[in-house]
Each structure stands twice: as structure tokens, then as C-alpha cells.
Amino acid sequence: MKKKISLIVLATTLMATMVTACGGNSESSSSTGAAGSGETKTLRFATWDTGDALKIEQDIAKKFEAAHPGTKVQVEAYADGFDQKLAAGFGATNPPDVMYMWDFPTYHQSLEPLDSYSSNDKELNIEDFYPGLFNYGKIDGKLYGIPAGFTTRVVYYNKKLFDEGKVPYPKDGWTWKQFQDIAAKLSDKSKKQYGFGVRAENDTYDLQSFVWSNGSSFISDDGKTIEGFMNSKETAESIQMLGDMVKNGSAVLTGGKGQQSGDDIFKAGKIAMWESGIWPLESFKTAGIDVGTVEIPAFPGKPVKGVLAESALSIAKDSKQKDLAWEFVKFYVSNDSIKMRVADLPVRVSVVNELKKDQDPLYKPYYTMLERSSNTPAFLLNPKWNEVNRQLSAAVEAVMHGENAQEVLNQAVKDSERYLK
Amino acid sequence: MAQTFLHQAGEPIAQLKPTRKRRWGGVVPYLFIFPWIFGFLVFTLGPLLFSLIISFFDWPIVGEVRFIGFGNYAEMFTDDPLFWTSLGVTLKFAALFVPLNIIVALGLAILLNQKTRGSAIFRTAFYIPSVISGVALAMIWSWVYSGDYGILNYFLSLIGIQGPDWLNDKQWSLVAMVVASLWGQGSMMLIFLAGLKGIPKDLYESASIDGAGKIRQFFSVTIPMITPTILFNLITSIIAAFQQLTLALLLTGGGPMKATYFYAMYMYENAFKYFKMGYSAANAWFMFLIVLSLTFIVFKSSEAWVFYEGEMKKNPQEKLKGQGRRRSL
């Protein structure tokens, strides 16, 4: 997830210029207005974004200030130190009033349940959200976060490299076998060109998409068992596949220390296919890549499954101005604000319909994948998942460096069992 | 009334009085060192003791604090493979780094000790890396080591060697880390240089009169004379090796496959990634014990190999030194 955060940052750095230009102008008058009205209330809002994505958030905050005279929104950009600073804030009972949130199992005890707010407030229009998005912010049936943006993951392909290799563009419904054949065909070591890029350090969260697609998962649905799940034949197979592609030269390891990121290599036209969320899309276009998107390949005879990356907004339990905080959250997920967020996908159906995003062939796969994102990710199923994931991540990394997936996963299960007792 | 009471108490008070006065007169020196004492108590000793206390608790930042006695320590030794992995990596690193560090720093110091023109320039040049902050240093080395674009692999390619992707290769990343760590050793070099400059010239004169060549002089005069400096540098090196964190964090992130997952990094991640403050504090105290016992062992052994001025050991070679000392007196 950390990786994801930095990806958001990277991607939006390049894409948000237009929006910030739009949002910036109207605001300069607001601060003087607020200053005139006597006592100013300060609302603290913590975000993990930086760069232009942060700029969008600051612009939304300024609009809020304009609409609510006497209020100042202090946007606190924690960037890579988000978890540390947030945890420290909670520990010192001095957290920000409103914050970005994804890791609900870790933090929900310190967050304000939002069910009563959302059901009593018609303005929110909760029916308008994609319903699947709320699953991520719910713990024990209580809602702790309101979705603000999300993305699913797709396969990007470089049309020029496909044309050069005389390979037809991939279509939804393709299989991993086809994927591997294409990758092999489009690899040319002498040109340092590869069919696919495999991350040296994978976020196991993202890999769940492949594992689910192969009919397995990292953890049982009740969150109690990993033996036979994390090390099942299907799980091992879907991870081994990536390691094998690195080994046979049809994929290159990316994003290790001192290595270029996969986004950069794709931009340089040196990999034909790349799997990611929506974050780098704009930067691919800016880099002049003729890019196509297609859904994740399938394992034969099994349905493709997707995984969601979501940014939600939460209110701290210790906040002293929860009503104001709620106003801000509501404002933040209003149609106007959501339209300003170009770095990820709109959470409201009405905005999507208005912008016709799901009609655009480039965007359509994200929504197909959204329909396929019905599985519950492991971190929501067991509060100790972070600990298990520490072993799992190490195992996955080992596979990318050539180890046998089944063996290292068996070991990871053995080393993790103690957390599940 | 109080006075009568005091008078009743009698002699002991009369005796105490002047002492107390003197003690009050002595407050001024304490005032002078107060800022330091205050800083030490509040920012060093306080946190130190606090960390000892929380090492007996399950202490997440968010959530409930729970006393678990020696639970953290037990988990460390019996139940956590990463603990052993990281400890092993650190020991391997220390075994490579400490001797190399001393040899390199001493070698540079000896070169600088030659009376040649421009030695001041070299001294500055050798010291510059120590001025660079750890983060910048890590950035520099991450470029040097880069598999595709690194200058190191470029030089290797000139002599026909295809270099590995240093930081992403589990065989080489620890070696790469040792070399990068060696680079910032200017201060140790300066301490050695000061030690070398402190050796009286006449020792070498008398040694050469006795027929000792350059190499013999080095081992029989130079080395024994700077053993106290070696002792100091050895101990600081060991401590530095066990605390190595910056480079691991920035250069490799502990990878690939935990090949550079230092103990300090393991501790850091437990505290600031997994928020297990109590467990991490227990890790820290165990590291403290390791460093403490290593230092103790080195100190104990130093009785056998460290020579302070004019000291004689049973080793016959030392006669040279002893004689030199007497003559110089």
C-alpha cells in the first residue's frame, strides 16, 4: 500500500496541472473573508499525497474555506511518513480531525464510526457511491471511512511495440498463457526490451488479484487459516508464473534499489506490458506512449478477479469538532470535489455517467475490473495480517529472485502460524 | 518557636550547619553543568529507562498497553526467525566491516603521515566524505552501484567484466554495503593520524640504529605505540557496525531477500512500521547487551595487547620501545 501511495504521488505529479490551474484562481478572496469574521476554527486534515495531488487537495480545502467562512483547513502532508505521523498523533491523543485512511483494521479503534452521520445526512447521497467501495471502510459492521477515490488494476500495453512485433492487441478475456506467449515474443534482450515488467518488491495486496483469479486466496474467508491458502498449489502457481517470466527473460525486474521503476521503463518504451492502477496513465500519455488498457488475464476456466485500491476519509475519535469535520468530509466527496480529482477514478456513479468515463475504451477496463473486485482482501480478514504479510512479502521477493514459490510459501506459512493462534 | 525546637535537638544540628553552608556555596559549579545534566536526564537517561520499562509491555501506539513480563524477550529468542536472520546479517557485516575499517583508516593515516607536499590537500580530500550526510552518501552510492548505469559497472566493463547488479544481488549487496560504509571514515583516520604524530621520532632513530628495517619498524614501533588508538577505534567501530541503519534503510531497504537486513533495521521496522514499541525496545536492549559484552571482551583482551607509554610487557619485542622511551627521557 505504501508503494501505492508513492505511485499516486508520482503519477499525479504529472497529471494534475490542468486541474490546479482551474481550482487555484477562485480561492484567493476566501482567506481574507474568513479573517474578517472574527474567531477562526482550524480543521486539521492529514493526507499521504504530495506534489500535484496534494495541490488538488489543498484546492478542495480552499473551496471549503470559501464556503464556510471562519474556518481554516490545515492540510498536513505526511507523505511517506503517513503511518508514523498518524500513529504518533493518535498515541499523543492529538490526531488530525480528518485524515486519509486505508488501513482500517489497524486504526479503527481511534476512528469515529460514521454510520449515523451518513444515514442522517441526505446531502451525502450515499446511494450514488459504488456500493462495493464501502466494504473496505467497514469493521464489525461499522463504517469508519467515506470513499473519496479509488482505482482498479489493469494491464497497460504499448501499441507501438505490439505493431512492431506484429502481435495483435490483447482483448478482454485473454489468458495468462496468451499473456506469457506475447511477453516472450516481444522480448528482445539485445535491445533491452522486455514483454513485461515484474516488480522486485511486490505489494502482496496487489498480487491478490492474480491469486483470486486462480481460485485461491492468501487466507481463508473466516480469516483464521493460511495453511492450504497462502501456500496452496494455485497461490504458488500464480506467483511462480511471475518469477518464471523473469527467469526466462520475457520479463524484467523493475523498481529494485537503484533500478528504474516499471512506470519509467514503460514510458521509455522498453517494456510492452505493465500492470498497475490508474495512477501512471496520464504520465504515459504525456510521455507520448500510444497506450492501451486491457483487463487482467484469466486462468483457463476461472473467472478473473480484481483488487481495489481505495482512499477513504475518516474522522478521528478524539476530534473536538466532529460536526465540522463531517462537513468537510461531505464536501470532499461532493460531485464538484470528485470531479477535481483526476488522479484516480470517481467514486460516484453520477459523476462517471456525466463524464462518460465508462464509455472511453481506455477507461472501460478499470470499470470491468471493478465489477470483478468482489473478494475481501486479506488485511480486512485478520487484524494480525501485517505480521503475516511480513513473511509473505519476503517469500514473494524470494520468488522474484529465482526461488521456488511452493517452498518459500510453505516456509512463510510455517513462520506466520504463530500470529494466527 | 522553631528555634527553641532546634536548640532542643542540640549538638548534631550545630555540627551540620557549616557543612550545609559549604554545600550551598558549592552550587555554582552545578549550575554550570546544569544544562548538560538536564539534557542528559531528560533526553538520554529518561528515555533509556523508559525504553527498559516498555520492553516488558505489549505496547502498540494505537490500542491497549499490556504488561507481559519477559514475553517480548521470549518471543525474540524462541519464536521470531527474523530476529536470528537480522542478527546473523549484522554479525557478518561487523566481521567484514570492523577489521577492514581499521586497516583502511590506518592505511590512509600512514599515507598522510608521510612528509610530502600537498599532504594537507589529501587530508582534506580523504576527510570530505565524513562531512557528507548519511543520506547524501547513500544517494551517491546507489548511483555508483546501479546495475545498468552505475560507474562501478562501467569501469568493470572496461576491463571486460560484467558487474552484478550490486544492490539487487543477494551475494553482493552486503559487500557493497561494507564498502560504502568504509567510505565515510575520515574521523577514524584523523584519530589514527594524531596517534601516529604522537610517536616520538627518536624511537624510529634508535630502531634503525638497532638495524630494524621499515617493515620491522612498523610492526615493532608504530603498531605498539598506537595500540591505545587502535583500541579506541576498534570499540567505536564495533558499536558503529551494530548500529548501521542509515545505509541499509536508504541503499537496499534491507533487501534483496533480507541479505542486508541489519539488526538495527529490524528494530526500526518493529517500532516504526509495525508499531510494536515494546518488542522493539526489547530488541534494543538486547543489542545494548551484545555491544556491552563485546566492548567488555575487547577491554579485557586489551590488557594483553595495548601498551601505554613506556609500559613493558613480557613480549621481547617491546624492549625496543622501552629503551627508546628511556633514551628520550
Side-chain angles (χ1 to χ4, degrees):
Chain A
M1 217 63 181
K2 272 272 171 58
K3 264 261 131 69
K4 215 161 288 154
I5 293 164
S6 46
L7 275 177
I8 299 176
V9 172
L10 267 176
T12 42
T13 308
L14 285 153
M15 63 200 293
T17 16
M18 264 181 59
V19 174
T20 47
C22 300
N25 301 333
S26 56
E27 310 316 328
S28 44
S29 58
S30 70
S31 52
T32 42
S37 65
E39 202 183 330
T40 312
K41 277 186 261 175
T42 303
L43 189 77
R44 292 171 59 203
F45 167 50
T47 168
W48 53 61
D49 280 328
T50 52
D52 284 348
L54 175 63
K55 189 82 183 22
I56 297 178
E57 280 148 30
Q58 284 166 335
D59 287 338
I60 298 177
K62 276 185 200 154
K63 281 207 161 156
F64 179 77
E65 286 173 353
H68 298 76
T71 311
K72 193 182 162 338
V73 179
Q74 184 178 320
V75 179
E76 303 180 4
Y78 291 169
D80 278 350
F82 186 81
D83 276 302
Q84 277 127 330
K85 288 188 177 142
L86 194 61
F90 282 129
T93 62
N94 182 27
D97 300 292
V98 181
M99 73 223 71
Y100 259 30
M101 181 54 58
W102 65 270
D103 190 359
F104 292 97
T106 305
Y107 292 105
H108 73 278
Q109 289 164 324
S110 310
L111 302 176
E112 178 76 9
L114 299 175
D115 304 85
S116 57
Y117 292 87
S118 62
S119 52
N120 294 338
D121 199 327
K122 288 240 161 56
E123 278 179 55
L124 180 69
N125 191 10
I126 202 162
E127 310 297 320
D128 192 23
F129 287 77
Y130 283 98
L133 297 174
F134 285 98
N135 297 340
Y136 284 60
K138 267 193 187 133
I139 302 282
D140 300 333
K142 281 191 195 151
L143 180 67
Y144 291 97
I146 305 290
F150 78 100
T151 180
T152 50
R153 303 176 73 85
V154 298
V155 172
Y156 293 94
Y157 58 94
N158 183 330
K159 290 183 181 167
K160 191 172 139 243
L161 295 185
F162 273 71
D163 292 342
E164 280 172 8
K166 300 202 171 54
V167 176
Y169 301 150
K171 288 198 188 69
D172 287 358
W174 61 327
T175 64
W176 282 108
K177 179 77 181 63
Q178 289 167 329
F179 174 86
Q180 281 164 302
D181 289 344
I182 295 175
K185 218 178 267 176
L186 295 181
S187 295
D188 184 349
K189 233 182 171 173
S190 64
K191 287 199 285 185
K192 282 199 176 175
Q193 178 187 312
Y194 297 89
F196 185 55
V198 170
R199 292 177 182 81
E201 290 154 19
N202 284 279
D203 192 330
T204 60
Y205 181 84
D206 305 334
L207 295 178
Q208 287 178 120
S209 167
F210 307 161
V211 174
W212 290 335
S213 296
N214 204 11
S216 185
S217 60
F218 287 140
I219 193 163
S220 62
D221 287 341
D222 62 3
K224 291 201 173 104
T225 321
I226 51 172
E227 171 72 46
F229 291 88
M230 205 163 100
N231 59 345
S232 74
K233 199 177 119 265
E234 289 79 16
T235 304
E237 188 184 53
S238 46
I239 291 167
Q240 186 69 57
M241 179 178 75
L242 299 173
D244 286 347
M245 289 180 74
V246 175
K247 230 186 258 177
N248 70 26
S250 59
V252 64
L253 268 191
T254 67
K257 297 293 159 182
Q259 284 173 344
Q260 278 186 296
S261 73
D263 288 354
D264 286 342
I265 304 179
F266 189 83
K267 268 187 258 178
K270 291 291 180 193
I271 47 176
M273 295 180 287
W274 178 238
E275 183 265 346
S276 183
I278 194 176
W279 314 294
L281 178 60
E282 283 300 318
S283 69
F284 291 162
K285 289 194 217 160
T286 326
I289 300 290
D290 191 2
V291 59
T293 54
V294 56
E295 66 172 54
I296 304 287
F299 288 91
K302 295 174 188 170
V304 178
K305 294 289 179 183
V307 67
L308 274 180
E310 180 180 321
S311 318
L313 284 184
S314 293
I315 298 176
K317 212 178 214 165
D318 291 329
S319 168
K320 293 190 179 61
Q321 34 191 358
K322 285 176 194 151
D323 289 332
L324 183 64
W326 173 252
E327 282 301 313
F328 180 71
V329 170
K330 210 168 64 185
F331 187 86
Y332 204 92
V333 298
S334 65
N335 283 23
D336 288 341
S337 305
I338 285 177
K339 274 184 215 161
M340 292 172 68
R341 295 174 59 94
V342 291
D344 50 14
L345 296 164
V347 288
R348 284 181 182 274
V349 180
S350 60
V351 176
V352 174
N353 291 339
E354 190 191 328
L355 301 178
K356 297 207 164 49
K357 283 244 176 188
D358 52 345
Q359 312 288 320
D360 185 335
L362 205 51
Y363 285 91
K364 195 160 174 286
Y366 298 101
Y367 289 93
T368 333
M369 288 310 293
L370 177 63
E371 283 158 27
R372 299 177 179 283
S373 303
S374 50
N375 295 46
T376 311
F379 83 99
L380 291 175
L381 292 172
N382 191 301
K384 294 267 187 165
W385 177 252
N386 278 348
E387 304 275 7
V388 178
N389 191 31
R390 199 175 182 175
Q391 315 290 339
L392 176 60
S393 305
V396 169
E397 190 193 358
V399 177
M400 303 313 149
H401 281 92
E403 302 276 324
N404 178 282
Q406 189 66 60
E407 282 167 26
V408 291
L409 286 173
N410 284 343
Q411 187 62 42
V413 167
K414 218 175 109 210
D415 292 342
S416 308
E417 288 284 5
R418 67 197 174 101
Y419 298 115
L420 299 174
K421 275 171 206 153
Chain B
M1 265 159 61
Q3 262 188 346
T4 49
F5 178 74
L6 278 175
H7 277 297
Q8 277 171 354
E11 283 177 357
I13 284 173
Q15 272 177 352
L16 270 175
K17 252 185 180 168
T19 340
R20 190 180 281 173
K21 234 180 204 166
R22 213 176 292 147
R23 207 186 282 159
W24 274 111
V27 84
V28 175
Y30 292 102
L31 277 179
F32 275 106
I33 60 167
F34 173 73
W36 183 85
I37 297 261
F38 179 79
F40 173 72
L41 290 178
V42 173
F43 297 115
T44 306
L45 192 64
L48 207 73
L49 292 178
F50 185 62
S51 84
L52 183 62
I53 293 166
I54 70 174
S55 75
F56 296 108
F57 286 83
D58 177 14
W59 196 300
I61 295 188
V62 183
E64 231 161 276
V65 171
R66 201 161 48 91
F67 180 77
I68 51 167
F70 281 94
N72 284 327
Y73 294 91
E75 184 185 347
M76 224 155 89
F77 289 112
T78 58
D79 224 5
D80 192 349
L82 272 183
F83 166 77
W84 296 106
T85 312
S86 61
L87 196 60
V89 169
T90 299
L91 288 175
K92 231 192 279 175
F93 175 78
L96 286 171
F97 172 76
V98 173
L100 278 176
N101 192 23
I102 293 202
I103 290 168
V104 169
L106 181 58
L108 287 177
I110 288 168
L111 286 179
L112 287 178
N113 201 28
Q114 310 302 313
K115 283 198 194 67
T116 43
R117 263 166 194 273
S119 71
I121 293 172
F122 283 111
R123 196 159 57 216
T124 314
F126 291 161
Y127 191 74
I128 278 179
S130 327
V131 181
I132 300 171
S133 89
V135 178
L137 203 138
M139 295 318 287
I140 293 172
W141 280 98
S142 78
W143 277 107
V144 170
Y145 283 136
S146 165
D148 289 332
Y149 308 103
I151 194 167
L152 179 59
N153 278 359
Y154 171 72
F155 284 138
L156 286 177
S157 74
L158 291 184
I159 51 170
I161 297 172
Q162 159 96 53
D165 187 352
W166 296 91
L167 298 177
N168 293 296
D169 188 313
K170 60 180 185 225
Q171 320 285 346
W172 288 106
S173 57
L174 190 67
V175 177
M177 202 72 104
V178 171
V179 174
S181 308
L182 288 176
W183 198 54
Q185 291 316 315
S187 53
M188 189 165 286
M189 173 194 80
L190 282 191
I191 294 170
F192 269 130
L193 186 60
L196 289 174
K197 295 244 192 254
I199 304 175
K201 294 284 164 294
D202 41 2
L203 288 188
Y204 291 105
E205 282 161 23
S206 52
S208 62
I209 289 167
D210 288 349
K214 280 279 174 201
I215 291 168
R216 180 65 194 246
Q217 282 179 26
F218 175 73
F219 284 107
S220 300
V221 180
T222 313
I223 292 285
M225 284 304 284
I226 59 164
T227 44
T229 322
I230 294 179
L231 173 67
F232 174 80
N233 278 342
L234 181 63
I235 290 171
T236 50
S237 272
I238 290 174
I239 295 175
F242 274 86
Q243 290 180 338
Q244 181 60 275
L245 172 67
T246 325
L247 275 182
L249 215 53
L250 295 166
L251 217 47
T252 61
M257 294 172 68
K258 310 275 174 230
T260 56
Y261 196 64
F262 292 136
Y263 190 79
M265 177 138 182
Y266 164 74
M267 211 164 85
Y268 172 88
E269 284 199 341
N270 281 338
F272 300 111
K273 193 166 169 192
Y274 298 96
F275 302 130
K276 298 193 288 184
M277 290 298 163
Y279 191 56
S280 182
N283 297 157
W285 276 91
F286 181 67
M287 174 149 98
F288 175 71
L289 286 182
I290 294 180
V291 171
L292 192 71
S293 39
L294 281 178
T295 310
F296 178 77
I297 292 168
V298 172
F299 256 111
K300 270 283 158 200
S301 78
S302 76
E303 281 163 20
W305 59 270
V306 173
F307 304 92
Y308 295 99
E309 297 209 11
E311 185 186 4
M312 299 270 286
K313 293 255 157 83
K314 274 165 196 152
N315 189 338
Q317 288 189 352
E318 289 320 299
K319 275 180 194 158
L320 249 180
K321 188 181 115 201
Q323 282 164 5
R325 198 75 208 152
R326 270 199 295 281
R327 271 182 216 166
S328 75
L329 287 170

